[in-house]
Amino acid sequence: MTVEMVRADNVHKSFGSLEVLKGVDLVVNAGEVCCVLGPSGSGKSTFLRCVNHLEKINAGKIFVDGDLVGYHERGGKLHEMKGKDVARQRRSIGMVFQRFNLFPHMTSLQNVMEAPCRVKKESKAEVRERAASLLERVGLGSKIDAYPGMLSGGQQQRVAIARALAMRPKLMLFDEPTSALDPELVGEVLDVMKDLARDGMTMVVVTHEIGFAREVGDQVVFMDGGVVVEKGSPAEILANPKHERTQAFLSKVL
Amino acid sequence: MSDQTQTDRARPEPIKAVPVRHPGRWLAIAVLAVLTAMFLHLILTNDQFRWSFIFNSYEPGKRGVMFTEPVLEGLRGTLLLTVTSMAIGVVFGVVIAIMRLSDNWILRGVAFVYTWFFRAVPRLVLAVLFGNLNILWDRIGFGLPFDQQIGKLFGIDDLNAQFYSVKASDLLAGFVAGMLALGLSEAAYMAEIVRAGIQSIDPGQAEAATALGLSRSQVLRRVVLPQAMRVIVPPTGNEVIAMVKDTSLVAFVPVTFELFFQLNAIKARTFVVLPVLVAAVIWYLIICTVLMVAQYFVERHFGRGYGTAGQARQRLRNIQAEQGSSSTAGGVT
């Protein structure tokens, strides 16, 4: 039986008078890798930020693993969640940012240990061991005491992935994880992500890496103008897109 | 082909050029040297300084004016006042800065009015004002607010619902009044410094911490403030040093338990003016030197993780050394 990890129903989001999402529908099953493509300003990053409630949506519903994100539903009425409850939901959703956003005053190891120690209050020794092995897994076993400022972009992004994994998330969100990297560093980050996908992690990846989408994606979604224009398997979407906007976009990036 | 030509070519002679001359610099140095010599000559040869009055004995059987008992007492008072009023300033300053950045416009407004008032009124005026504020109340205490008015509402005359109270003229006078005047004024400046520090941090930091499930207060305490400290510490060092000097204003509260007041008293009694003032200058120089050394260490602590700090450079060197040894041993990249 397939479990729906993410379900978005008719999601709308505006910033002031600017409507960024105009009714997005999407389902990502557990264990699936969903790659979201689209031109700048198409709303793909905003949508990703709505999934863990970094942005409040104005209409529609988002469910993660069956739970409504950001609201309690009681007697047909929506109640805004308290900060504490939103934080609890976010624990199981890892997020990786375009600009890494590592904490510069902490070493790699401290970055990875911070959330399990402070949020889940796990024992320090246990977390330290797990954090070290996570850093080992992303190929940075020798950098556990380095501060982010001493690491290359690719290394920083791999620490950021390890930091998100330390909370044992059931869903990982990637917001253009390789867009701020030098071309020669992109590969090392994509390798870590491929490795994660092979392990069965559910991932939603906003990316411009068409090659990654083709190789790893189970589902490719093309967004433009705040709506999902087309979605399907990578073979369908990337090889013979039906919609002309998809065709136009792919002809530019391929 | 090109490789070959490169290896074949001999390394040229190192450049031996005549350096650019800077006659202006040398002229400036010469002028400064003469001025320094004149200053030293003045200090060492002019009798009016009366160094033994300052250091050895200012009256028969007494220590030098710097080390005499009332002056040391005043020094303790100055230091205590600096520490307590800075503590009030930092704590209230952080609270007001956070209010100023709140989503709620009432909290923002209150914080704004606070900073507006305490920055507008000079510290000297505040010191005198706080010294006289006790005319407003008989007693100051903790308890039910508006207790007398509420009592009248229910027909009880003179309801007293105060758990604990003291006479206003006992509490709000002297040292406490001076401390509050300086501390509350300082809070307004600290609030602006802390606000600037918090706003200098990339919003992505708070976002990343939030996405990990940290609570709002954890985001602030663990991620934003420690980074903001790097921006907050240098101007705060300025504030502490300014506070050391501003403690001399509490003489107007009046507080006598203060360095400059005590030195002034000796000046008035002995009619020796300049040496007493020089003694004051020396004490303030000593205090500020100690504070500057302390600031250096605090800055170094909060600078960790940033390339500019010497400590971070040292760590980098350690890591490189470690890497070098491990890559030769295991060949791991």
Side-chain angles (χ1 to χ4, degrees):
Chain A
M1 199 191 103
T2 55
V3 179
E4 282 181 1
M5 187 55 79
V6 180
R7 174 176 199 94
D9 284 337
N10 204 3
V11 170
H12 288 254
K13 169 71 189 170
S14 312
F15 293 108
S17 60
L18 180 71
E19 195 170 30
V20 183
L21 300 180
K22 300 170 185 167
V24 175
D25 296 295
L26 184 69
V27 173
V28 181
N29 290 323
E32 211 178 64
V33 175
C34 170
C35 292
V36 184
L37 309 178
S40 307
S42 59
K44 50 195 197 308
S45 285
T46 304
F47 173 71
L48 202 66
R49 294 159 59 83
C50 290
V51 173
N52 67 353
H53 208 55
L54 279 181
E55 304 285 355
K56 271 187 198 171
I57 59 177
N58 300 105
K61 279 175 184 174
I62 297 178
F63 298 89
V64 171
D65 202 14
D67 296 326
L68 188 58
V69 171
Y71 299 91
H72 294 295
E73 199 167 13
R74 285 193 220 102
K77 227 177 157 186
L78 288 183
H79 297 261
E80 229 175 83
M81 262 189 197
K82 280 189 196 155
K84 207 173 61 182
D85 297 329
V86 182
R88 184 169 300 123
Q89 283 189 327
R90 287 186 182 125
R91 286 184 201 179
S92 53
I93 307 172
M95 185 156 191
V96 174
F97 297 86
Q98 182 179 358
R99 311 257 344 146
F100 329 134
N101 296 350
L102 288 181
F103 308 134
H105 58 303
M106 299 181 190
T107 62
S108 311
L109 189 69
Q110 288 167 337
N111 263 282
V112 179
M113 288 174 63
E114 182 66 14
C117 284
R118 299 282 155 184
V119 178
K120 288 188 168 173
K121 316 263 192 256
E122 292 178 61
S123 94
K124 226 171 177 182
E126 197 183 303
V127 174
R128 181 186 299 274
E129 208 169 292
R130 191 165 89 227
S133 75
L134 276 169
L135 285 169
E136 191 73 48
R137 178 177 171 189
V138 298
L140 294 171
S142 64
K143 299 279 185 186
I144 57 174
D145 289 324
Y147 283 91
M150 303 165 179
L151 300 176
S152 73
Q155 290 171 333
Q156 287 190 51
Q157 194 61 297
R158 287 186 281 154
V159 174
I161 294 172
R163 179 174 70 174
L165 290 176
M167 291 295 280
R168 305 189 206 271
K170 51 191 176 190
L171 167 68
M172 285 284 283
L173 307 174
F174 291 85
D175 186 6
E176 303 198 26
T178 56
S179 299
L181 296 177
D182 288 345
E184 56 174 345
L185 302 179
V186 169
E188 60 189 56
V189 172
L190 291 183
D191 285 343
V192 169
M193 290 169 62
K194 284 175 197 167
D195 182 46
L196 262 184
R198 268 196 297 276
D199 277 6
M201 176 63 77
T202 314
M203 295 161 60
V204 182
V205 185
V206 169
T207 187
H208 293 298
E209 296 292 329
I210 305 295
F212 177 82
R214 183 183 294 127
E215 190 183 336
V216 186
D218 296 300
Q219 183 184 193
V220 170
V221 175
F222 177 74
M223 279 181 73
D224 192 16
V227 291
V228 171
V229 175
E230 206 171 343
K231 61 188 162 193
S233 71
E236 287 172 61
I237 304 291
L238 299 175
N240 41 47
K242 295 188 182 57
H243 205 285
E244 61 182 274
R245 271 193 284 177
T246 320
Q247 289 164 0
F249 177 77
L250 289 175
S251 71
K252 279 182 204 139
V253 293
L254 281 178
Chain B
M1 184 66 192
S2 63
D3 276 355
Q4 230 173 11
T5 51
Q6 256 181 7
T7 48
D8 284 350
R9 280 169 71 179
R11 192 164 179 271
E13 286 280 294
I15 292 172
K16 283 188 205 121
V18 179
V20 176
R21 305 289 178 204
H22 298 281
R25 269 182 215 173
W26 287 106
L27 185 68
I29 289 168
V31 171
L32 289 174
V34 170
L35 288 174
T36 310
M38 285 166 75
F39 179 68
L40 289 175
H41 179 255
L42 173 79
I43 285 185
L44 293 175
T45 61
N46 197 310
D47 294 337
Q48 291 299 325
F49 280 107
R50 296 179 62 180
W51 294 112
S52 76
F53 180 93
I54 296 176
F55 294 114
N56 295 336
S57 158
Y58 81 100
E59 268 170 11
K62 290 200 172 153
R63 281 175 274 183
V65 78
M66 262 183 84
F67 308 110
T68 187
E69 200 42 55
V71 171
L72 290 182
E73 191 75 3
L75 177 69
R76 272 196 287 279
T78 288
L79 292 177
L80 188 65
L81 199 53
T82 307
V83 171
T84 49
S85 49
M86 274 316 291
I88 293 175
V90 169
V91 171
F92 277 76
V94 171
V95 172
I96 292 161
I98 292 167
M99 282 168 67
R100 193 76 195 272
L101 297 169
S102 162
D103 291 333
N104 183 299
W105 69 269
I106 298 175
L107 295 182
R108 272 205 311 273
V110 169
F112 173 79
V113 169
Y114 182 95
T115 358
W116 166 75
F117 179 82
F118 279 99
R119 286 205 302 178
V121 182
R123 277 195 182 160
L124 180 59
V125 177
L126 277 178
V128 183
L129 179 72
F130 272 66
N132 290 289
L133 220 51
N134 55 40
I135 323 169
L136 293 177
W137 306 280
D138 252 356
R139 303 184 70 79
I140 296 176
F142 289 104
L144 183 68
F146 292 109
D147 52 353
Q148 301 214 341
Q149 287 81 347
I150 292 170
K152 278 195 190 110
L153 212 63
F154 292 101
I156 309 164
D157 268 346
D158 218 21
L159 174 73
N160 190 348
Q162 303 292 323
F163 305 119
Y164 174 77
S165 67
V166 289
K167 248 184 114 198
S169 53
D170 289 346
L171 177 70
L172 203 56
F175 189 85
V176 175
M179 181 181 81
L180 284 179
L182 292 179
L184 294 181
S185 151
E186 185 57 41
Y189 293 94
M190 282 307 301
E192 291 295 284
I193 292 173
V194 172
R195 181 170 70 102
I198 290 176
Q199 284 179 330
S200 74
I201 304 304
D202 173 14
Q205 288 291 313
E207 220 161 60
T210 309
L212 282 168
L214 270 72
S215 69
R216 276 178 70 117
S217 82
Q218 281 175 327
V219 172
L220 195 66
R221 278 183 296 120
R222 298 288 308 168
V223 175
V224 177
L225 276 181
Q227 292 182 59
M229 284 306 276
R230 221 167 59 91
V231 179
I232 292 171
V233 168
T236 304
N238 257 352
E239 291 295 308
V240 178
I241 286 168
M243 182 59 83
V244 171
K245 295 174 288 179
D246 281 355
T247 53
S248 57
L249 296 176
V250 299
F252 293 89
V253 168
V255 178
T256 56
F257 180 45
E258 185 271 315
L259 180 63
F260 190 57
F261 184 92
Q262 293 296 342
L263 281 163
N264 246 336
I266 292 175
K267 188 178 81 183
R269 196 149 47 77
T270 58
F271 302 109
V272 182
V273 178
L274 187 78
V276 170
L277 293 175
V278 172
V281 168
I282 294 174
W283 266 129
Y284 286 119
L285 282 175
I286 291 172
I287 298 173
C288 288
T289 310
V290 172
L291 287 174
M292 281 166 71
V293 172
Q295 183 181 347
Y296 168 79
F297 285 103
V298 175
E299 273 181 35
R300 208 175 65 165
H301 173 76
F302 286 108
R304 81 209 124 114
Y306 292 89
T308 47
Q311 203 184 10
R313 277 201 298 275
Q314 184 55 47
R315 283 228 179 81
L316 183 61
R317 254 178 259 133
N318 293 346
I319 286 160
Q320 280 168 341
E322 199 177 283
Q323 245 191 343
S325 62
S326 74
S327 66
T328 47
V332 189
T333 49

